[in-house]
Amino acid sequence: MTTDQPGPATWLAALAATLQGVELDVSAAGLEAHGHDESGQHHAWPEAVVYAQTEADIVAVLAFASRHRVPVTPYAVGSSLEGHVVPLHGGISLDVSRMTRILEIVPESGYAVVEPGVTYPELNRQARRHGLHFAVDPGAEASLGGMAATGASGTAAVRYGTMHDNVLTLRVALMNGEVIEVGSLARKSSAGYDLKNLFVGSEGTLGVFTRLAVRLHPLPSAVASVQVGFCSIQEATAASLLVLASGLHPERLELVDTESIRAVNRWRGTALPGGPTLWIELSGRDTADLEGGLKLARELLVESGGTLIGEARSEAERTELWAARHGAFYAIRAMYPGHHGRTTDLCVPIGRLAEAISGTLAILDRLKLDAPLLGHVGDGNFHVYLHADPSDAGRLAALDVASAEMVTLALSLGGTCSGEHGVGAGKRSYMRAQHGPALEVMRGVKTLFDPHGLLNPGKILPD
Amino acid sequence: MTTDQPGPATWLAALAATLQGVELDVSAAGLEAHGHDESGQHHAWPEAVVYAQTEADIVAVLAFASRHRVPVTPYAVGSSLEGHVVPLHGGISLDVSRMTRILEIVPESGYAVVEPGVTYPELNRQARRHGLHFAVDPGAEASLGGMAATGASGTAAVRYGTMHDNVLTLRVALMNGEVIEVGSLARKSSAGYDLKNLFVGSEGTLGVFTRLAVRLHPLPSAVASVQVGFCSIQEATAASLLVLASGLHPERLELVDTESIRAVNRWRGTALPGGPTLWIELSGRDTADLEGGLKLARELLVESGGTLIGEARSEAERTELWAARHGAFYAIRAMYPGHHGRTTDLCVPIGRLAEAISGTLAILDRLKLDAPLLGHVGDGNFHVYLHADPSDAGRLAALDVASAEMVTLALSLGGTCSGEHGVGAGKRSYMRAQHGPALEVMRGVKTLFDPHGLLNPGKILPD
């Protein structure tokens, strides 16, 4: 990565001259807004924000950056959690949030073609009219371009997979001036190297997405959700494994711990019973099929020690039932106002989940940290929200220790430091331990696409 | 790609001296056996066959090849259909078919760790004891290493995906002497560039797999298959789309045309009604669930003009019902003894499948070629078996024309020239049309991993 780019004074005027008609923002408010992400963990201002409206704008910015050796950090809505959009080395924040056209919805083939600034809730509003939905839901009003860049997933990955499974094609502007199209609109392809999946999860370090085609799935005919309380997290995870092995194929399978329930109750003014809680959503081809699935699910969950807390069938009821789970992250943050926070993102083979959670709780216990836990147990992925008063240096240091120990634990269980949030700036230090010599191969790939290290420098690869 | 390697006389003795204790075969029979694949389309002998038994053997062969600039073509069981295993530039055929250890089956996490020479039927025999199955079934007794290398799929991809979805991790020996491990045993990972999917489908041109972890799925509790005849292929594909949109989530959804049925009847001595035929396999969490699904499926299929030919529930009955579909490729080849044959592998967005099939039939008609058609309609993927008497130069030339026109058709519909067989030597000439400027990026990737062009030269990338 190069960091010895010229000072902005030497290139800002040239940028303005090059990008005639493209909005350029150098106001303090604009730079500040592009200087952090939702996690608030990392802060750095760009020297300029460019609001791209078209692919040509993106190509022009990359050509300029290449010529003038200026770093470029793509930005859409800023909902990343590991500092992905923070321009750590300054330069240009390339904001694609105005590229919000849904170019095509093709119901008979089950896909949509969108610009990178389209958010997934907006796509779902449009897709629903065709009886379809886009299944990846990372929370926040995330953009599809950003979600593809981080390899995002969410609560429905247990059924529909992650962005790797749901992005069909990408148009990508490269630092060499080319725009390439990778992937296929067909459900599968064995024609050449899989560049699509190389770009999904590349966090804006290899190229900038100008357009993407994503899968749309038929909306299930009948859906119901069940909320079940358990006495221990171990019991809840064991119940999850039973559900997964049963052939029920849940739409979602989520876990929230006692501490998170407390946060939700405080935030929403509810009185949910405190204790580890599972949310399960099932679908069926019709009501009878759904009821059959629900019956089996209830049996399995009660056999596993669960207590039925709630059940929801209509969309309004389900939204209410899920509100606690979907709002948990915000509720948790609200419980610790002013605290520095960071979210872990361990993901382990599903059979090691109980160990990963026990080990995580042991680490928290030993370091005397309290940290709510929630996660996508159907994928073996869970988060704890580590937090500390910024004035408490000892506790802040303990967060680093906890974070590192948890990653070591996950790797020892065959897992990964990030199931869905990505590496960004926050998890770079774990890449060597996770990938070993494959890390040097990743560096080679980076250099192939971005020889001068100008695309989102300071992300994914450790120095 | 370099082809100016030294003659074998200069390196064979050195190879034998380097690989003490590793079996080396330079017999005509051994070289001939490694000089073609199942398609018989391409022929070239290696100068030597090395039977690797361990990862260390593979590393030693690559180090030797790198030092002496000798091409290396990986080989397992030779069931590829596009000449993948044919050593077009001579050199070493690196045979991993003796690396057949199943190192680990981990039922609670749903995966197995295997050596590359393990075949998928053998893995299934072992997995079944744990109530699990490996879901990718390309036909033949294919090896898992070869299947990962070609990005194979088969009849169950509509439900379980392809090798991209079912390979979790790969250990890969590289030309630079390193062995790297890519992917994750966790169900998902957003930690760094997705090198795993870059290697899946790379056809032995970037590295050689020494070990892989693959997903195992729970065996469905209840399974049944239905065979349904239609008056036209159009009707049959429309029925397929209806089934896919219904929430039935079939385990398999396959199509065979009249000509293929004729071949099967002749080959197996059966009397199946001649006409386009769909095979559908459904699963359920229990018998009642399955019967509900079957009822809906029958209704949809009959509404679409289908006539029930057969239904099977027990494993023996299902094996018999599916024998016609699973044996179709061999039956078709047997119908044209001595003919030169090649299999197309178009895959298009599912909503364009009817057009792709009509267009294909129109091309065949115009060129006066008869070619049986069959395929994985649930994925938008189908094959026609083009064939000609080798002494009929005009007809042989027509096969090339037909093949190229069909690829042009698939690309115009947003599809790919290969859904599952891979590129090998046979489809290299279509890569430029399919990938445009992304082809140069693929070349860059190739050079990064294999700067001297020694790994399976003559495959994937056109000269």
Side-chain angles (χ1 to χ4, degrees):
Chain A
M1 306 284 173
T2 178
T3 56
D4 53 349
Q5 71 272 7
T10 62
W11 56 264
L12 266 179
L15 180 65
T18 304
L19 299 176
Q20 299 283 344
V22 182
E23 190 180 333
L24 194 66
D25 187 355
V26 294
S27 72
L31 302 181
E32 196 285 328
H34 290 76
H36 60 88
D37 69 4
E38 196 168 302
S39 73
Q41 276 190 76
H42 305 271
H43 294 270
W45 287 20
E47 269 97 24
V49 178
V50 175
Y51 289 95
Q53 301 263 15
T54 64
E55 178 176 285
D57 295 345
I58 292 173
V59 170
V61 167
L62 296 191
F64 179 90
S66 192
R67 199 160 55 245
H68 294 266
R69 299 280 192 273
V70 176
V72 175
T73 300
Y75 185 101
V77 306
S79 60
S80 62
L81 293 175
E82 295 292 348
H84 300 82
V85 298
V86 181
L88 292 178
H89 295 210
I92 299 167
S93 177
L94 177 51
D95 187 317
V96 300
S97 65
R98 297 182 185 177
M99 294 178 69
T100 56
R101 286 187 302 162
I102 295 175
L103 300 161
E104 207 180 0
I105 290 183
V106 185
E108 58 281 13
S109 290
Y111 69 84
V113 183
V114 301
E115 290 186 330
V118 174
T119 66
Y120 78 90
E122 177 57 22
L123 177 59
N124 269 324
R125 279 188 282 275
Q126 303 301 324
R128 175 177 295 269
R129 299 178 192 174
H130 304 277
L132 299 168
H133 69 126
F134 175 74
V136 188
D137 64 338
E141 289 270 318
S143 72
L144 291 161
M147 288 163 63
T150 52
S153 54
T155 65
V158 65
R159 178 67 178 256
Y160 299 99
T162 72
M163 288 302 278
H164 282 281
D165 307 295
N166 286 279
V167 173
L168 293 171
T169 69
L170 289 168
R171 272 181 76 84
V172 191
L174 302 180
M175 282 310 269
N176 69 3
E178 296 275 3
V179 177
I180 61 173
E181 184 128 7
V182 297
S184 173
L185 294 172
R187 289 281 160 85
K188 60 186 193 182
S189 177
S190 286
Y193 302 140
D194 182 357
L195 298 180
K196 185 266 287 179
N197 276 310
L198 187 61
F199 281 108
V200 173
S202 65
E203 303 187 2
T205 65
L206 302 181
V208 180
F209 306 154
T210 67
R211 181 182 291 190
L212 52 165
V214 296
R215 276 194 77 160
L216 300 175
H217 295 269
L219 278 165
S221 322
V223 184
S225 300
V226 183
Q227 188 178 346
V228 185
F230 287 87
C231 292
S232 70
I233 287 189
Q234 283 65 29
E235 238 180 34
T237 53
S240 304
L241 288 183
L242 213 57
V243 168
L244 289 173
S246 69
L248 278 169
H249 300 292
E251 297 275 313
R252 299 167 208 277
L253 180 48
E254 297 284 309
L255 171 71
V256 157
D257 77 345
T258 308
E259 193 67 5
S260 305
I261 294 286
R262 206 160 63 85
V264 166
N265 279 337
R266 185 188 293 196
W267 194 56
R268 303 192 70 233
T270 49
L272 293 173
T277 304
L278 282 185
W279 276 258
I280 296 184
E281 187 160 283
L282 295 177
S283 65
R285 50 182 184 268
D286 52 34
T287 313
D289 179 35
L290 177 64
E291 293 303 327
L294 280 172
K295 183 165 172 288
L296 175 58
R298 274 189 303 254
E299 282 168 14
L300 294 173
L301 294 165
V302 170
E303 262 174 39
S304 312
T307 308
L308 199 67
I309 296 173
E311 207 166 298
R313 279 179 174 69
S314 75
E315 189 168 347
E317 285 169 359
R318 281 187 284 124
T319 303
E320 176 55 28
L321 191 84
W322 277 93
R325 169 62 191 91
H326 285 315
F329 180 62
Y330 298 99
I332 288 165
R333 289 215 300 200
M335 196 147 77
Y336 311 105
H339 274 209
H340 169 91
R342 78 179 65 169
T343 314
T344 68
D345 186 24
L346 307 187
C347 188
V348 297
I350 190 83
R352 312 304 292 272
L353 181 59
E355 282 165 87
I357 292 181
S358 309
T360 295
L361 297 177
I363 292 166
L364 291 171
D365 205 44
R366 187 161 39 75
L367 295 170
K368 300 191 189 353
L369 296 171
D370 64 306
L373 181 150
L374 49 79
H376 316 299
V377 284
D379 306 326
N381 182 208
F382 66 100
H383 312 295
V384 298
Y385 184 73
L386 298 168
H387 61 96
D389 187 315
S391 66
D392 184 344
R395 192 167 159 125
L396 278 175
L399 301 193
D400 288 334
V401 175
S403 210
E405 288 190 8
M406 288 173 192
V407 170
T408 303
L409 169 69
L411 298 183
S412 77
L413 297 172
T416 170
C417 70
S418 176
E420 58 179 12
H421 293 169
V423 179
K427 294 200 162 72
R428 287 205 302 160
S429 58
Y430 309 132
M431 289 298 97
R432 200 177 305 278
Q434 178 156 348
H435 297 299
L439 185 62
E440 293 314 307
V441 175
M442 292 188 193
R443 279 192 212 284
V445 169
K446 167 71 175 172
T447 303
L448 179 66
F449 286 93
D450 181 22
H452 302 293
L454 299 169
L455 275 172
N456 206 0
K459 310 300 161 59
I460 299 185
L461 301 169
D463 293 327
Chain B
M1 307 283 172
T2 179
T3 56
D4 53 348
Q5 71 273 6
T10 63
W11 57 263
L12 266 179
L15 179 65
T18 304
L19 299 177
Q20 298 284 345
V22 181
E23 189 180 334
L24 192 67
D25 186 358
V26 294
S27 72
L31 302 181
E32 197 286 329
H34 291 77
H36 61 89
D37 69 3
E38 196 166 301
S39 72
Q41 275 190 78
H42 304 271
H43 295 270
W45 286 19
E47 270 97 24
V49 179
V50 175
Y51 289 95
Q53 301 264 15
T54 65
E55 179 177 283
D57 295 346
I58 292 174
V59 170
V61 167
L62 296 192
F64 179 90
S66 191
R67 199 160 55 245
H68 293 265
R69 299 280 192 271
V70 175
V72 175
T73 300
Y75 186 101
V77 306
S79 60
S80 63
L81 293 174
E82 294 293 349
H84 299 83
V85 299
V86 181
L88 292 177
H89 294 211
I92 298 167
S93 178
L94 177 52
D95 187 317
V96 300
S97 65
R98 298 184 185 176
M99 294 177 71
T100 55
R101 287 186 303 162
I102 294 176
L103 299 161
E104 208 180 0
I105 290 183
V106 186
E108 59 280 12
S109 290
Y111 68 84
V113 182
V114 301
E115 290 186 330
V118 174
T119 65
Y120 78 89
E122 176 57 23
L123 176 59
N124 269 324
R125 278 188 282 277
Q126 303 300 324
R128 176 177 294 267
R129 298 178 192 174
H130 304 277
L132 299 168
H133 69 125
F134 175 74
V136 188
D137 64 338
E141 290 269 320
S143 72
L144 290 160
M147 289 163 63
T150 52
S153 52
T155 64
V158 65
R159 178 68 179 256
Y160 299 98
T162 72
M163 287 304 277
H164 282 282
D165 307 295
N166 286 280
V167 173
L168 294 171
T169 69
L170 289 168
R171 273 181 76 86
V172 191
L174 301 180
M175 282 309 269
N176 69 4
E178 296 275 2
V179 177
I180 62 173
E181 183 127 8
V182 297
S184 173
L185 294 173
R187 289 279 159 86
K188 60 187 193 183
S189 176
S190 285
Y193 302 140
D194 183 358
L195 299 179
K196 185 266 284 179
N197 276 309
L198 187 62
F199 281 107
V200 173
S202 66
E203 304 187 2
T205 66
L206 303 181
V208 180
F209 306 155
T210 67
R211 181 182 292 189
L212 53 166
V214 297
R215 275 193 78 161
L216 300 176
H217 295 271
L219 277 166
S221 323
V223 185
S225 301
V226 183
Q227 188 178 349
V228 185
F230 288 88
C231 292
S232 71
I233 286 190
Q234 282 66 29
E235 239 179 33
T237 54
S240 304
L241 288 183
L242 215 57
V243 167
L244 290 173
S246 68
L248 278 169
H249 301 290
E251 297 274 313
R252 300 166 208 277
L253 180 49
E254 298 282 309
L255 171 70
V256 156
D257 78 345
T258 309
E259 193 67 6
S260 305
I261 295 285
R262 205 161 64 86
V264 166
N265 278 336
R266 185 188 292 196
W267 195 55
R268 303 192 68 233
T270 49
L272 292 173
T277 303
L278 281 184
W279 276 257
I280 296 184
E281 188 159 282
L282 294 178
S283 65
R285 51 183 181 268
D286 51 35
T287 314
D289 179 35
L290 176 65
E291 293 302 328
L294 280 171
K295 185 166 170 290
L296 176 58
R298 275 188 303 252
E299 282 167 16
L300 294 173
L301 295 165
V302 170
E303 262 172 41
S304 311
T307 306
L308 199 68
I309 296 174
E311 208 167 298
R313 279 177 174 71
S314 74
E315 189 167 349
E317 284 168 1
R318 282 186 284 124
T319 303
E320 175 56 28
L321 191 84
W322 277 92
R325 170 61 191 93
H326 285 315
F329 180 63
Y330 298 97
I332 288 166
R333 289 215 301 200
M335 196 146 76
Y336 310 106
H339 273 209
H340 169 92
R342 76 177 68 167
T343 314
T344 69
D345 186 25
L346 306 188
C347 187
V348 298
I350 190 85
R352 313 303 293 272
L353 180 60
E355 283 165 86
I357 292 180
S358 310
T360 295
L361 298 177
I363 291 166
L364 292 171
D365 205 44
R366 186 161 41 73
L367 295 169
K368 302 193 188 353
L369 295 171
D370 63 306
L373 182 151
L374 48 80
H376 316 299
V377 284
D379 306 327
N381 182 209
F382 66 99
H383 313 294
V384 296
Y385 183 73
L386 298 168
H387 61 96
D389 187 314
S391 66
D392 183 344
R395 191 169 159 124
L396 278 175
L399 301 193
D400 287 335
V401 175
S403 211
E405 287 189 9
M406 288 174 192
V407 171
T408 303
L409 169 70
L411 297 183
S412 77
L413 297 172
T416 171
C417 70
S418 175
E420 58 178 13
H421 294 168
V423 179
K427 294 200 162 72
R428 288 206 301 160
S429 59
Y430 309 132
M431 290 297 97
R432 202 177 304 278
Q434 177 154 349
H435 297 297
L439 185 61
E440 293 314 307
V441 176
M442 292 186 192
R443 280 192 211 285
V445 169
K446 168 70 176 172
T447 304
L448 180 66
F449 286 93
D450 181 24
H452 302 292
L454 299 170
L455 275 172
N456 206 0
K459 311 299 161 59
I460 299 185
L461 302 168
D463 294 328

